[in-house]
């Protein structure tokens, strides 16, 4: 008997890399692919596992891995979210000791390689831009399903239409006011869906993803910016304005600084032409914007690295 | 006027890399170094910055960077925690619009290079083992100070004294029971200090760190393990048992699988000698253990990568 | 006086990250960007620098960095290759002690963000697919100019039309013959240009790059493959066949294994649908193919990591 | 029949991660571990594999992987070099079409965890400092065996005793002369052994490694430096002076810049106390020093990243 308290705990197999091929057409020669990295976390009655090593309540992480692969065959992969919902519901419903399951998915997307001699049936080049993400949490006791979609590693830049001035000056301030600067960031975004959308079997997750991504990019490009915070807010509000089933948006935006190089020592004028792209240190701007009356659900404690 | 709600938000300069040299002895020839990566996050009244780009309430991230470097000179770096406490208190007290500050520190440690011809005064080799971490949060309104110390990237292995069996079998289970296996993990640990310890100016953070680290390693080595969960719990309890000012321990332990290679096709018997060290997928075991009657404060949502 | 011999040596500033904006149109509102990582290596008469610390022959690495930024302003960045040629010639001609200069460039490319309300003037999203590379070596004594273009991190996959069988079987062989497998690789390619092309001021490096890239991708997609070696050779030969100014192609192709998951324990048939994408270990296939009568120049000793 | 020429080519399984446990003592309770990453590259008569996909001459990369694991059982792992020599000789001697084999090994080293309650038999913590490397090349036609040992990721720093001045000034030079600076670098070193040593079955590779490492560290610490080139040369010469079986040393030394932070704007004097540790760009100093009369063999074309 332990005198200390076991609080939040969870376990499962992380980073199950899975590629699912679906053959289409009469002859099955047209291939569709989904390329995922699936992580499973189970929560429940696991005190004995921790206190005595009695594994009677422990579904092995290896089994959770097998389940991921078997489900891809049995149910297909309609989308990261749909696949995650299936898995989360399964784990909770299959074992009474599992009270909650969280599935996290990363998706890597591919373009087709144009092939002069035949249709683009089965040749792909990895897109390599953003990674799509999804986090699905299903609780057996409350029956609550929470879906947070997202993306990461989407790097964007405005080479003008960005200023920064009027800020607080204290003893340690040396920054000059800027009236025309580069604004660049590597977007990590997560957005929570309304329960109605998340619970609907026919919700089109891929279409929703495409829309959110487009509105965020457009807002980034169209906002004349006086701070990265303002751009963050504009991106989040644009999504809420145009995507009625999204309730909440959280953005983590490292300010990828581009410093104007001083060319005067060489007798040259740098008219906003030559920049040094810095790695570290970087500003890091984070924020959540949600629909009025909605309870925010996206974790805020993640520490994002540029 | 926005129709949506700006919820949790913060900003600051992340990953300020700083090396602080302190000269000791009569001639200052004996050097001590602290090598830190310091991140600043400020929380407060920043709605206007987000909604209109009015930066009147915005202390630039560049200023927070300058402050880190200036404070290293003005106040020295006694420890990651002490340095973070100074910075967190400063930001909150210096600007009324800043209600809360969070400082995160990574520390990289160095050994001295033995020099045959003179004392080991100023030559160092980076230790390269774990990274020490600290997270300090200070709230101006409540006056509350929270200190979470930690470490990451500490890889440990028991080459025997680990079993795993008696687990649930379902339709998707293929794992064989194991009665002698390698148990290896890359430890990410965080532990919260009691308010009394955190608020005491003379608390010895370096000594506390050394003790927690030692007890965790010893518990890992001494625990005959029936599950990584059991080992996690033993490590956390050992710290709580021996370090009275620590109230809570959270561990994130990826199971770094070492699979026995099947050598039978080559007419060889593999008597627990030759293992394949796998990268992905991996089990991920996470848990918090705290002292009875204490409210846990360590965020549980971080997603740790092996 | 040293009794040992100083052989090959070089130095310079590595990884100068530079973003160059060029304004076009009557009002300069249309922006073009080039985003480069430029490394400089100088070779020459540097024995005294090594033996006594006499820096009289040493052009500081800091100066080589300044030169990169100043040249971007003075000469623009027409292409990675053209920019590298300018820099290499400059270093060798400006200091007699510098006998040879090698410039290495990585280029990160960007797409324009579609903006509904105005032309796509100055908003960009990083493409994030392959990194374009160039290595320019100019020798003052011989006057020889060598240009090796390339790319890396281009991940491609054929989800069928790949077999592997008929191989050697020895005591340690357990691999089953495969008659329909996924073939995936992350391409690192380098190709050397004929001296005539490299020395011509009006050679269109961007057009050349686009052509080589297209022919490699098409050859990858169109080749019915019996080994990754065969695919490598087909990709290289396709480039030599269609790009007359390319003399030599070297490819480093890690075999990104996709293993068919065994679903039989779950009563399921895996008809080439569900794959496990492995990280390590991986096959690594490397080779150089060159035009007959040409002396190969591309270094073969690089060790490529998947 | 191809009209182009297949030049240098090689293939094999890369990055085979292997952990070998050896049990010692009467009861086998004392465990020794070697933790390796082994890569195999085979060279030989592989034209048909490339031109027609006829795999009759192809020993599968999967077989080379199996051989690595089987050899660890059959022959043990005395050292990275000894293990690599066994493997290289095996591949060349076992298949006539394989003319040359190159084995590359990375070794990760472990310390024992002190255990209060029993001997330190089987509990380890990964050292995490440098990675030890070895590259073994065996040619069947010449019978030549080449062994290059090395290390990487060994970060060292002198916090004083480093100057840099007297260098060339040209139009682009702005660097100030420095009379007391931090000198820090991340050492990548490779050293070639004389054929006699490499071919001797009883050569003590572990002892040789320890000696070379110690002499390099001592030379780094003891050299009062006027340039990183001078330090490089001193490190290489020290090894050649003290290790008679080493014929050649190559060092790749990124200059990990530590810039003194300007604290004057805050009314503070920075007396070489507070430094900013920069990531990129960095000076990169590379050089080979060899014993007089010896032909250098270490490849110089590797591009080292800081």
């Amino acid at each position: 008997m332990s005198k200390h308290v076991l609080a939040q705990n969870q376990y499962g197999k992380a980073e199950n890399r899975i590629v699912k091929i679906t053959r289409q057409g009469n002859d099955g020669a047209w291939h569709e692919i989904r390329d995922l990295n699936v992580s499973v976390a189970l929560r429940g009655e696991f005190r004995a596992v921790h206190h005595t090593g009695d594994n009677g309540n422990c579904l092995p992480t290896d089994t959770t891995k097998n389940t991921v692969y078997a489900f891809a065959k049995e149910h297909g992969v309609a989308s990261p979210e749909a696949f995650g919902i299936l898995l989360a519901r399964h784990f909770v419903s299959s074992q009474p000791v599992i009270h909650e399951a969280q599935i996290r998915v990363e998706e890597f997307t591919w373009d087709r390689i144009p092939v002069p001699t035949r249709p683009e049936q089965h040749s792909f080049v990895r897109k390599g831009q953003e990674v799509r993400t999804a986090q699905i949490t299903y609780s057996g006791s409350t029956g609550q399903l929470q879906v947070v979609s997202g993306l990461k590693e989407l790097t964007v830049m405005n080479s003008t239409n960005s200023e920064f001035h009027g800020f607080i000056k204290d003893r340690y301030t040396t920054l000059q006011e800027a009236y025309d600067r580069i604004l660049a960031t590597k977007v990590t975004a997560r957005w929570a869906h309304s329960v109605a959308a998340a619970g609907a079997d026919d919700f089109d997750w891929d279409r929703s993803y495409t829309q959110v991504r487009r509105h965020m990019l457009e807002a980034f490009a169209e906002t004349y910016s006086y701070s990265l915070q303002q751009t963050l807010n504009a991106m989040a509000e644009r999504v809420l304005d145009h995507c009625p089933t999204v309730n909440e948006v959280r953005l983590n935006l490292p300010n990828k600084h581009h410093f104007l190089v001083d060319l005067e020592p060489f007798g040259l004028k740098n008219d906003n032409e030559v920049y040094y792209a810095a790695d570290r240190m970087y500003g890091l701007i984070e924020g959540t914007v949600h629909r009025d009356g909605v309870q925010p659900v996206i974790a805020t404690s993640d520490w994002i690295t540029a």
Side-chain angles (χ1 to χ4, degrees), chain A:
Chain A
M1 184 55 207
S2 170
K3 65 183 174 194
H4 303 301
V5 182
L6 176 66
Q8 203 278 350
N9 66 88
Q10 63 184 41
Y11 77 95
K13 195 70 96 190
E15 302 208 31
N16 301 285
R17 291 281 289 108
I18 179 167
V19 170
K20 173 70 168 62
I21 309 284
T22 309
R23 288 167 174 72
Q24 299 184 343
N26 289 339
D27 56 356
W30 183 266
H31 292 195
E32 299 284 343
I33 59 173
R34 303 235 51 153
D35 181 1
L36 307 178
N37 192 23
V38 180
S39 295
V40 175
L42 306 179
R43 300 156 186 168
E45 182 40 62
F46 304 131
R47 267 174 299 189
V49 183
H50 287 80
H51 289 155
T52 65
D54 173 345
N55 294 314
N57 276 9
C58 183
L59 187 71
T61 65
D62 188 77
T63 302
T64 69
K65 173 204 72 177
N66 287 347
T67 309
V68 169
Y69 288 104
F71 265 51
K73 166 69 187 181
E74 287 185 286
H75 305 284
V77 179
S79 69
E81 288 86 351
F83 190 56
I85 291 170
L86 281 173
L87 285 165
R89 285 189 187 279
H90 163 77
F91 288 117
V92 169
S93 61
S94 69
Q95 299 293 338
V97 300
I98 300 173
H99 302 157
E100 191 170 291
Q102 184 171 89
I103 310 296
R104 293 205 193 194
V105 186
E106 297 178 332
E107 183 176 33
F108 314 108
T109 50
W110 298 74
D111 283 329
R112 288 176 190 277
I113 300 176
V115 188
T117 55
R118 56 167 171 76
E120 305 166 333
Q121 293 166 328
H122 61 258
S123 295
F124 304 91
V125 55
R126 190 165 152 172
K127 225 167 182 165
Q129 201 160 69
E130 85 270 14
V131 174
R132 178 174 169 181
T133 61
Q135 175 190 285
I136 295 90
T137 315
Y138 178 69
S139 163
S141 51
T142 67
Q144 204 191 343
L145 177 69
Q146 190 189 92
V147 179
V148 177
S149 300
L151 60 80
K152 59 181 183 179
E153 292 169 35
L154 185 70
T155 303
V156 292
M157 176 196 292
N158 286 324
S159 52
T160 186
N161 285 12
S162 166
E163 309 187 9
F164 186 59
H165 44 76
F167 42 74
I168 298 174
K169 278 94 184 170
D170 74 3
R171 181 188 160 195
Y172 300 108
T173 302
T174 56
L175 186 72
Q176 299 300 303
E177 310 219 308
Y179 292 86
D180 188 2
R181 62 170 190 172
I182 283 182
L183 188 71
T185 185
K186 188 165 74 173
V187 180
T188 299
R190 288 172 293 166
W191 51 94
H193 301 272
S194 71
V195 176
D201 284 346
D202 58 349
F203 188 75
D204 189 339
W205 297 103
D206 286 352
R207 185 161 169 273
S208 171
Y209 179 82
T210 305
Q211 286 178 333
V212 171
R213 182 185 184 282
R214 177 167 67 82
H215 287 298
M216 281 199 307
L217 279 178
E218 288 182 8
F220 175 81
E222 291 180 341
T223 301
Y224 192 103
S225 176
Y226 294 94
S227 71
L228 185 47
Q229 283 90 331
Q230 187 196 5
T231 296
L232 179 152
N233 190 69
M235 293 167 74
E237 294 214 352
R238 183 77 66 97
V239 172
L240 293 173
D241 284 344
H242 287 81
C243 305
T245 61
V246 173
N247 271 343
E248 177 190 0
V249 179
R250 184 163 180 87
L251 289 163
N252 304 68
L253 302 183
N255 195 340
K256 293 180 75 71
H257 303 302
H258 287 71
F259 297 113
L260 209 58
V261 178
D262 179 12
L263 300 177
E264 282 191 23
F266 323 125
L268 301 170
K269 189 171 185 313
N270 191 351
D271 197 16
N272 284 7
E273 293 165 275
V274 180
Y275 294 87
Y276 157 58
D279 296 312
R280 286 201 290 192
M281 59 282 294
Y282 52 91
L284 180 55
I285 316 298
E286 305 171 275
T288 297
V289 183
H290 61 80
R291 219 171 277 289
D292 200 9
V294 158
Q295 185 66 25
V297 297
I298 305 178
T300 58
S301 63
D302 288 314
W303 196 247
I304 304 299
T305 303

